[in-house]
Each structure stands twice: as structure tokens, then as C-alpha cells.
Amino acid sequence: MIAMGFSNVAGSLSSCYVATGSFSRTAVNFSAGARSTVSNIVMAATVFIALEFFMKLLYYTPMAVLASIILSALPGLIDIREACNIWRVDKMDFLICLGAFLGVLFGSVEIGLGVALAISFAKIIIQSLRPQVEVLGRLQGTNTFCSVRQYPVACRTPAVQVIRIDTSFLCFINATFIKERIMEWVRAEVDTSNEKVRERVHSVVLDMSNVVNIDTSGLVGLEEIHKELASLGIQMAIASPGWQAIQKMKLAHVVDRIGEDWIFLTVGEAVEGCLTAHKGSAMEC
């Protein structure tokens, strides 16, 4: 691309045509066994000789013959095995691959790239709209907390709900979904504890180790979670927020509303702090 840019700059000084990289010429070059850019020099010399000495002979060559040369080279560029592998690994990536293929096949390279970019952006937006929110448990004998869905052997701490937000940017796109997801789990846990007459949930720990940044909508979402938990008599704690996130939480006075004592460095410290505070309040009662 740099070489083509320089050639166009130099060619513009002598009224040359704009040089571009043709997909069809690339396909023919690749199928011919080219392995380096020296093939371009050989191809340029061959084209020059053909135009200089064989132009009259090639002038009446049917377009179908020229098209068949290109079409015969295209099947070698289609890797069906790799497409099947993409389908097994990620269905959305296969959709991007298929969209680019059909766009180029029935339109042009620009249309194929446009379709692929549009589907890629849609994929990013969908993933941002519904990020993963996981309930965590402690691996027995360790201070490591991990998803109970991924590791069923992880033990959930009684009376303490540990939830991890798996998004790097808590923002207006996903703040409402995350809040509703967290409150849905908390209410379900409260109802279950009441039905089974077991120790009621008194604390919720939000693991924000994956949250790198947060916007004003995300801050409002955290405040709403805190208010709803407080109305249920549940204390909220935050563990391991990113430095940008905690800085904005301080500027927006979210830390003051939650309480500096309820911001912890690790999930383990947050759980121990919640258990200690609950035992202390129980002894006072």
C-alpha cells in the first residue's frame, strides 16, 4: 500500500493513471505460484512485451476467455475447511465471513468490506448491550473466586452474594441490563432464603475488576443498585474497581454514598468485611 501510494504521487506528476491493487490480478498471480513481490516485476515486463509486440493478435480475444482466466483462479482462494472451522468456533464470525463473500461475489470488493464491517459493528454493539454478569463462588481451601456456572465445585458464601460484571466499559448501553440482572438474582436469592428458612442474604459484593471505565449512566446505575439493595436491607460492597472507574465514582460522590469502608481491593477482602460487619451488628443487637 505504501508502494502504491508513492507510485501514485510520482505518477501524478506525469499525468499517469491511478494505480490500484486488483483482486482479480492478485488471484491469478497467487494461483500461478507467486511467492514474492518479484512476481510484480515479471508481470509488468510480460504485460509490456505483450502490449508492444502482441497487441494486434490479442485485440480480438473474446471477453469470455479473459473472464475464464480469472474465474479459474478464484476457486483456489476459497478455503471451505477454514470456513467450517470458523462456523464451529464462532457463528457470528462465520456470518461476517459469509457476508463478505456474498458481497464480493454479487457486488464488489467495497460492498463485501462494507457488509463485513456492518456485521462486525453489530456484533460489538450486541455484546456491549448484554455483557456477562456472573455469580461467583469460592474454590474450597483457597481465596479464589470464580464463576459457579463455569466451576460448579465453587462454594457460594452463605448470606453474601458475589457478582462479577464482565464488561470493560459500564455505560449507557449496558447499565440498565446489568442493574436488572443483578437485582433479579438478589430478589430470587432473598425469596429462596425465605422459603427454605435459611440465613438471609445481608450483603452483595460487586466484583468490578473487569470494569476499566464508567460513564455517568453507569454511575447512576450503581447508585440505583445501592438504593434498591438498601431498601431490601442489604449492604452493597465493591471490589477491585479500575482506577478510572473509582476516580469517576469519587468525583460523582458515589463513593461517599456507598461508603469508603465498603470499597475493597479484592473480592476475598470484601467478603470477609461483609461477614465481619454482619457479625458485629448481630452482637450489638
CSV table of all heavy atoms in Angstrom, one decimal, residues 220-263:
chain,number,residue,atom,x,y,z
A,220,VAL,N,-25.0,6.3,37.6
A,220,VAL,CA,-26.4,6.3,38.1
A,220,VAL,C,-26.9,4.9,38.3
A,220,VAL,O,-27.6,4.6,39.3
A,220,VAL,CB,-27.3,7.0,37.0
A,220,VAL,CG1,-28.8,6.8,37.3
A,220,VAL,CG2,-26.9,8.5,36.9
A,221,GLY,N,-26.5,3.9,37.4
A,221,GLY,CA,-26.9,2.5,37.6
A,221,GLY,C,-26.4,2.0,39.0
A,221,GLY,O,-27.1,1.3,39.7
A,222,LEU,N,-25.1,2.3,39.3
A,222,LEU,CA,-24.6,1.8,40.6
A,222,LEU,C,-25.4,2.4,41.8
A,222,LEU,O,-25.6,1.8,42.8
A,222,LEU,CB,-23.1,2.2,40.7
A,222,LEU,CG,-22.1,1.4,39.9
A,222,LEU,CD1,-20.7,1.9,40.1
A,222,LEU,CD2,-22.2,-0.1,40.2
A,223,GLU,N,-25.7,3.7,41.7
A,223,GLU,CA,-26.5,4.3,42.7
A,223,GLU,C,-27.8,3.7,42.9
A,223,GLU,O,-28.3,3.5,44.0
A,223,GLU,CB,-26.6,5.8,42.4
A,223,GLU,CG,-25.3,6.6,42.6
A,223,GLU,CD,-25.6,8.1,42.4
A,223,GLU,OE1,-26.7,8.5,42.2
A,223,GLU,OE2,-24.6,8.9,42.5
A,224,GLU,N,-28.5,3.4,41.7
A,224,GLU,CA,-29.8,2.7,41.8
A,224,GLU,C,-29.7,1.3,42.4
A,224,GLU,O,-30.6,0.9,43.2
A,224,GLU,CB,-30.4,2.7,40.4
A,224,GLU,CG,-30.8,4.1,39.9
A,224,GLU,CD,-31.3,4.0,38.5
A,224,GLU,OE1,-31.3,2.9,37.9
A,224,GLU,OE2,-31.8,5.0,37.9
A,225,ILE,N,-28.6,0.6,42.1
A,225,ILE,CA,-28.4,-0.7,42.7
A,225,ILE,C,-28.3,-0.6,44.2
A,225,ILE,O,-28.9,-1.3,45.0
A,225,ILE,CB,-27.2,-1.4,42.1
A,225,ILE,CG1,-27.5,-1.7,40.6
A,225,ILE,CG2,-26.9,-2.7,42.9
A,225,ILE,CD1,-26.2,-2.3,39.9
A,226,HIS,N,-27.5,0.4,44.6
A,226,HIS,CA,-27.3,0.7,46.0
A,226,HIS,C,-28.6,1.0,46.7
A,226,HIS,O,-28.9,0.5,47.8
A,226,HIS,CB,-26.2,1.8,46.2
A,226,HIS,CG,-26.0,2.1,47.7
A,226,HIS,ND1,-26.5,3.2,48.3
A,226,HIS,CD2,-25.3,1.4,48.6
A,226,HIS,CE1,-26.1,3.3,49.5
A,226,HIS,NE2,-25.4,2.2,49.8
A,227,LYS,N,-29.4,1.9,46.1
A,227,LYS,CA,-30.7,2.3,46.8
A,227,LYS,C,-31.6,1.1,46.9
A,227,LYS,O,-32.3,0.9,47.9
A,227,LYS,CB,-31.3,3.4,45.9
A,227,LYS,CG,-30.6,4.7,46.0
A,227,LYS,CD,-31.2,5.8,45.2
A,227,LYS,CE,-30.5,7.1,45.2
A,227,LYS,NZ,-31.1,8.1,44.3
A,228,GLU,N,-31.7,0.3,45.8
A,228,GLU,CA,-32.7,-0.9,45.8
A,228,GLU,C,-32.2,-1.9,46.8
A,228,GLU,O,-33.0,-2.5,47.5
A,228,GLU,CB,-32.8,-1.5,44.4
A,228,GLU,CG,-33.5,-0.5,43.4
A,228,GLU,CD,-33.8,-1.2,42.1
A,228,GLU,OE1,-34.0,-2.5,42.2
A,228,GLU,OE2,-33.9,-0.6,41.1
A,229,LEU,N,-30.9,-2.1,46.9
A,229,LEU,CA,-30.4,-3.1,47.9
A,229,LEU,C,-30.6,-2.6,49.3
A,229,LEU,O,-31.0,-3.3,50.2
A,229,LEU,CB,-28.9,-3.3,47.7
A,229,LEU,CG,-28.5,-4.1,46.4
A,229,LEU,CD1,-27.0,-4.2,46.3
A,229,LEU,CD2,-29.1,-5.5,46.5
A,230,ALA,N,-30.4,-1.3,49.5
A,230,ALA,CA,-30.7,-0.7,50.8
A,230,ALA,C,-32.1,-0.8,51.2
A,230,ALA,O,-32.4,-1.0,52.4
A,230,ALA,CB,-30.2,0.8,50.9
A,231,SER,N,-33.0,-0.7,50.3
A,231,SER,CA,-34.5,-0.8,50.6
A,231,SER,C,-34.8,-2.2,51.0
A,231,SER,O,-35.8,-2.5,51.7
A,231,SER,CB,-35.3,-0.4,49.4
A,231,SER,OG,-35.1,-1.3,48.3
A,232,LEU,N,-34.0,-3.2,50.6
A,232,LEU,CA,-34.2,-4.6,51.0
A,232,LEU,C,-33.4,-4.9,52.2
A,232,LEU,O,-33.4,-6.1,52.7
A,232,LEU,CB,-33.8,-5.5,49.8
A,232,LEU,CG,-34.6,-5.4,48.5
A,232,LEU,CD1,-33.9,-6.3,47.5
A,232,LEU,CD2,-36.0,-5.9,48.8
A,233,GLY,N,-32.7,-3.9,52.8
A,233,GLY,CA,-31.9,-4.2,54.0
A,233,GLY,C,-30.6,-4.9,53.7
A,233,GLY,O,-30.1,-5.7,54.5
A,234,ILE,N,-30.1,-4.8,52.5
A,234,ILE,CA,-28.8,-5.5,52.0
A,234,ILE,C,-27.7,-4.4,51.8
A,234,ILE,O,-28.0,-3.4,51.2
A,234,ILE,CB,-29.1,-6.3,50.7
A,234,ILE,CG1,-30.2,-7.3,51.0
A,234,ILE,CG2,-27.8,-6.9,50.3
A,234,ILE,CD1,-30.6,-8.1,49.7
A,235,GLN,N,-26.5,-4.7,52.3
A,235,GLN,CA,-25.4,-3.8,52.2
A,235,GLN,C,-24.6,-4.2,50.9
A,235,GLN,O,-24.4,-5.3,50.5
A,235,GLN,CB,-24.4,-4.0,53.3
A,235,GLN,CG,-23.1,-3.2,53.2
A,235,GLN,CD,-23.4,-1.7,53.2
A,235,GLN,OE1,-24.1,-1.2,54.0
A,235,GLN,NE2,-22.8,-1.0,52.2
A,236,MET,N,-24.3,-3.1,50.1
A,236,MET,CA,-23.5,-3.3,48.9
A,236,MET,C,-22.1,-3.0,49.1
A,236,MET,O,-21.7,-2.0,49.7
A,236,MET,CB,-24.1,-2.5,47.7
A,236,MET,CG,-23.4,-2.7,46.4
A,236,MET,SD,-24.1,-1.7,45.0
A,236,MET,CE,-23.2,-0.2,45.2
A,237,ALA,N,-21.2,-3.8,48.6
A,237,ALA,CA,-19.7,-3.6,48.6
A,237,ALA,C,-19.2,-3.7,47.2
A,237,ALA,O,-19.7,-4.5,46.4
A,237,ALA,CB,-19.1,-4.6,49.5
A,238,ILE,N,-18.1,-3.0,46.9
A,238,ILE,CA,-17.5,-3.0,45.6
A,238,ILE,C,-16.0,-3.5,45.8
A,238,ILE,O,-15.3,-3.0,46.7
A,238,ILE,CB,-17.5,-1.7,44.9
A,238,ILE,CG1,-19.0,-1.3,44.6
A,238,ILE,CG2,-16.7,-1.6,43.6
A,238,ILE,CD1,-19.1,0.1,44.0
A,239,ALA,N,-15.6,-4.4,44.9
A,239,ALA,CA,-14.3,-5.0,45.0
A,239,ALA,C,-13.5,-4.7,43.7
A,239,ALA,O,-14.0,-4.9,42.6
A,239,ALA,CB,-14.3,-6.5,45.2
A,240,SER,N,-12.3,-4.2,43.9
A,240,SER,CA,-11.3,-4.1,42.8
A,240,SER,C,-11.8,-3.3,41.6
A,240,SER,O,-11.7,-3.8,40.5
A,240,SER,CB,-10.8,-5.5,42.4
A,240,SER,OG,-9.8,-5.4,41.4
A,241,PRO,N,-12.3,-2.1,41.8
A,241,PRO,CA,-12.7,-1.3,40.6
A,241,PRO,C,-11.4,-0.7,39.9
A,241,PRO,O,-10.4,-0.5,40.5
A,241,PRO,CB,-13.5,-0.2,41.2
A,241,PRO,CG,-13.0,0.0,42.6
A,241,PRO,CD,-12.6,-1.4,43.0
A,242,GLY,N,-11.5,-0.5,38.6
A,242,GLY,CA,-10.4,0.1,37.9
A,242,GLY,C,-10.2,1.5,38.3
A,242,GLY,O,-11.1,2.2,38.8
A,243,TRP,N,-8.9,2.0,38.1
A,243,TRP,CA,-8.6,3.4,38.6
A,243,TRP,C,-9.4,4.5,38.0
A,243,TRP,O,-9.8,5.4,38.6
A,243,TRP,CB,-7.1,3.6,38.5
A,243,TRP,CG,-6.6,3.9,37.1
A,243,TRP,CD1,-6.2,2.9,36.2
A,243,TRP,CD2,-6.5,5.1,36.4
A,243,TRP,NE1,-5.8,3.5,35.0
A,243,TRP,CE2,-6.0,4.9,35.1
A,243,TRP,CE3,-6.8,6.4,36.7
A,243,TRP,CZ2,-5.8,5.9,34.2
A,243,TRP,CZ3,-6.6,7.4,35.8
A,243,TRP,CH2,-6.2,7.1,34.5
A,244,GLN,N,-9.7,4.3,36.7
A,244,GLN,CA,-10.6,5.3,36.1
A,244,GLN,C,-12.0,5.3,36.6
A,244,GLN,O,-12.6,6.3,36.8
A,244,GLN,CB,-10.6,5.1,34.5
A,244,GLN,CG,-9.3,5.5,33.8
A,244,GLN,CD,-9.4,5.3,32.3
A,244,GLN,OE1,-10.1,4.4,31.8
A,244,GLN,NE2,-8.7,6.1,31.6
A,245,ALA,N,-12.5,4.1,36.8
A,245,ALA,CA,-13.8,3.9,37.4
A,245,ALA,C,-13.9,4.5,38.8
A,245,ALA,O,-14.9,5.2,39.1
A,245,ALA,CB,-14.2,2.4,37.4
A,246,ILE,N,-13.0,4.2,39.6
A,246,ILE,CA,-13.0,4.7,41.0
A,246,ILE,C,-12.8,6.2,41.1
A,246,ILE,O,-13.4,6.9,41.9
A,246,ILE,CB,-12.0,3.9,41.9
A,246,ILE,CG1,-12.3,4.2,43.4
A,246,ILE,CG2,-10.6,4.4,41.6
A,246,ILE,CD1,-13.5,3.6,43.9
A,247,GLN,N,-12.0,6.7,40.2
A,247,GLN,CA,-11.8,8.2,40.1
A,247,GLN,C,-13.1,8.9,39.8
A,247,GLN,O,-13.5,9.9,40.4
A,247,GLN,CB,-10.7,8.5,39.1
A,247,GLN,CG,-10.4,10.0,39.0
A,247,GLN,CD,-9.7,10.5,40.2
A,247,GLN,OE1,-9.2,9.7,41.0
A,247,GLN,NE2,-9.7,11.8,40.4
A,248,LYS,N,-13.9,8.4,38.8
A,248,LYS,CA,-15.2,9.0,38.4
A,248,LYS,C,-16.2,8.8,39.5
A,248,LYS,O,-17.1,9.6,39.8
A,248,LYS,CB,-15.6,8.4,37.1
A,248,LYS,CG,-14.8,8.8,35.9
A,248,LYS,CD,-15.4,8.3,34.6
A,248,LYS,CE,-14.5,8.8,33.4
A,248,LYS,NZ,-15.0,8.3,32.1
A,249,MET,N,-16.1,7.6,40.2
A,249,MET,CA,-17.0,7.4,41.3
A,249,MET,C,-16.8,8.4,42.5
A,249,MET,O,-17.8,8.8,43.1
A,249,MET,CB,-16.9,5.9,41.8
A,249,MET,CG,-17.4,4.9,40.9
A,249,MET,SD,-16.9,3.2,41.3
A,249,MET,CE,-17.7,3.0,42.9
A,250,LYS,N,-15.5,8.8,42.7
A,250,LYS,CA,-15.2,9.8,43.7
A,250,LYS,C,-15.7,11.1,43.3
A,250,LYS,O,-16.3,11.9,44.1
A,250,LYS,CB,-13.7,9.8,44.0
A,250,LYS,CG,-13.2,8.6,44.7
A,250,LYS,CD,-11.7,8.7,44.9
A,250,LYS,CE,-11.1,7.5,45.7
A,250,LYS,NZ,-9.7,7.6,45.9
A,251,LEU,N,-15.5,11.5,42.0
A,251,LEU,CA,-15.9,12.8,41.5
A,251,LEU,C,-17.4,13.0,41.6
A,251,LEU,O,-18.0,14.0,41.8
A,251,LEU,CB,-15.4,13.1,40.1
A,251,LEU,CG,-13.9,13.2,40.0
A,251,LEU,CD1,-13.5,13.3,38.5
A,251,LEU,CD2,-13.4,14.4,40.7
A,252,ALA,N,-18.2,11.9,41.3
A,252,ALA,CA,-19.6,11.9,41.3
A,252,ALA,C,-20.2,11.6,42.7
A,252,ALA,O,-21.4,11.5,42.8
A,252,ALA,CB,-20.2,10.8,40.3
A,253,HIS,N,-19.3,11.5,43.7
A,253,HIS,CA,-19.7,11.3,45.1
A,253,HIS,C,-20.5,9.9,45.3
A,253,HIS,O,-21.2,9.8,46.3
A,253,HIS,CB,-20.6,12.4,45.6
A,253,HIS,CG,-20.0,13.8,45.5
A,253,HIS,ND1,-18.9,14.1,46.3
A,253,HIS,CD2,-20.2,14.8,44.6
A,253,HIS,CE1,-18.5,15.4,45.9
A,253,HIS,NE2,-19.3,15.8,44.9
A,254,VAL,N,-20.3,9.0,44.4
A,254,VAL,CA,-20.9,7.7,44.5
A,254,VAL,C,-20.2,6.9,45.7
A,254,VAL,O,-20.8,6.2,46.5
A,254,VAL,CB,-20.7,6.9,43.2
A,254,VAL,CG1,-21.2,5.4,43.4
A,254,VAL,CG2,-21.5,7.5,42.1
A,255,VAL,N,-18.9,7.1,45.8
A,255,VAL,CA,-18.1,6.5,46.9
A,255,VAL,C,-18.6,7.0,48.3
A,255,VAL,O,-18.8,6.2,49.2
A,255,VAL,CB,-16.6,6.8,46.8
A,255,VAL,CG1,-15.8,6.3,48.0
A,255,VAL,CG2,-16.1,6.1,45.5
A,256,ASP,N,-19.0,8.3,48.3
A,256,ASP,CA,-19.5,8.9,49.6
A,256,ASP,C,-20.8,8.2,50.0
A,256,ASP,O,-21.1,8.0,51.1
A,256,ASP,CB,-19.6,10.4,49.5
A,256,ASP,CG,-18.3,11.1,49.3
A,256,ASP,OD1,-17.2,10.5,49.7
A,256,ASP,OD2,-18.3,12.2,48.7
A,257,ARG,N,-21.7,8.0,49.0
A,257,ARG,CA,-23.0,7.4,49.2
A,257,ARG,C,-22.9,6.0,49.6
A,257,ARG,O,-23.6,5.5,50.5
A,257,ARG,CB,-23.9,7.6,48.0
A,257,ARG,CG,-24.1,9.0,47.6
A,257,ARG,CD,-25.1,9.1,46.5
A,257,ARG,NE,-25.3,10.5,46.1
A,257,ARG,CZ,-24.7,11.1,45.1
A,257,ARG,NH1,-23.7,10.5,44.5
A,257,ARG,NH2,-24.9,12.4,44.8
A,258,ILE,N,-22.0,5.2,49.0
A,258,ILE,CA,-21.8,3.8,49.3
A,258,ILE,C,-21.0,3.7,50.6
A,258,ILE,O,-21.3,2.8,51.4
A,258,ILE,CB,-21.1,3.1,48.2
A,258,ILE,CG1,-22.0,3.1,46.9
A,258,ILE,CG2,-20.8,1.6,48.6
A,258,ILE,CD1,-21.3,2.5,45.7
A,259,GLY,N,-20.0,4.5,50.8
A,259,GLY,CA,-19.2,4.5,51.9
A,259,GLY,C,-17.8,4.0,51.6
A,259,GLY,O,-17.6,2.9,50.9
A,260,GLU,N,-16.7,4.7,52.0
A,260,GLU,CA,-15.4,4.3,51.6
A,260,GLU,C,-15.0,3.0,52.2
A,260,GLU,O,-14.2,2.3,51.7
A,260,GLU,CB,-14.4,5.4,52.1
A,260,GLU,CG,-14.5,6.7,51.3
A,260,GLU,CD,-13.4,7.7,51.7
A,260,GLU,OE1,-12.6,7.4,52.6
A,260,GLU,OE2,-13.4,8.8,51.2
A,261,ASP,N,-15.6,2.7,53.4
A,261,ASP,CA,-15.3,1.4,54.0
A,261,ASP,C,-15.8,0.2,53.3
A,261,ASP,O,-15.5,-1.0,53.6
A,261,ASP,CB,-15.9,1.4,55.5
A,261,ASP,CG,-15.3,2.4,56.4
A,261,ASP,OD1,-14.1,2.8,56.1
A,261,ASP,OD2,-15.9,2.9,57.3
A,262,TRP,N,-16.7,0.4,52.3
A,262,TRP,CA,-17.2,-0.7,51.5
A,262,TRP,C,-16.6,-0.8,50.1
A,262,TRP,O,-17.2,-1.4,49.2
A,262,TRP,CB,-18.8,-0.5,51.4
A,262,TRP,CG,-19.4,-0.6,52.8
A,262,TRP,CD1,-19.9,0.4,53.5
A,262,TRP,CD2,-19.6,-1.8,53.5
A,262,TRP,NE1,-20.4,-0.1,54.7
A,262,TRP,CE2,-20.2,-1.4,54.7
A,262,TRP,CE3,-19.3,-3.2,53.3
A,262,TRP,CZ2,-20.6,-2.4,55.7
A,262,TRP,CZ3,-19.7,-4.1,54.3
A,262,TRP,CH2,-20.3,-3.7,55.5
A,263,ILE,N,-15.5,-0.2,49.9
A,263,ILE,CA,-14.7,-0.3,48.7
A,263,ILE,C,-13.4,-1.1,49.1
A,263,ILE,O,-12.6,-0.7,49.9
A,263,ILE,CB,-14.3,1.0,48.1
A,263,ILE,CG1,-15.5,1.9,48.0
A,263,ILE,CG2,-13.6,0.8,46.8
A,263,ILE,CD1,-16.5,1.5,47.0
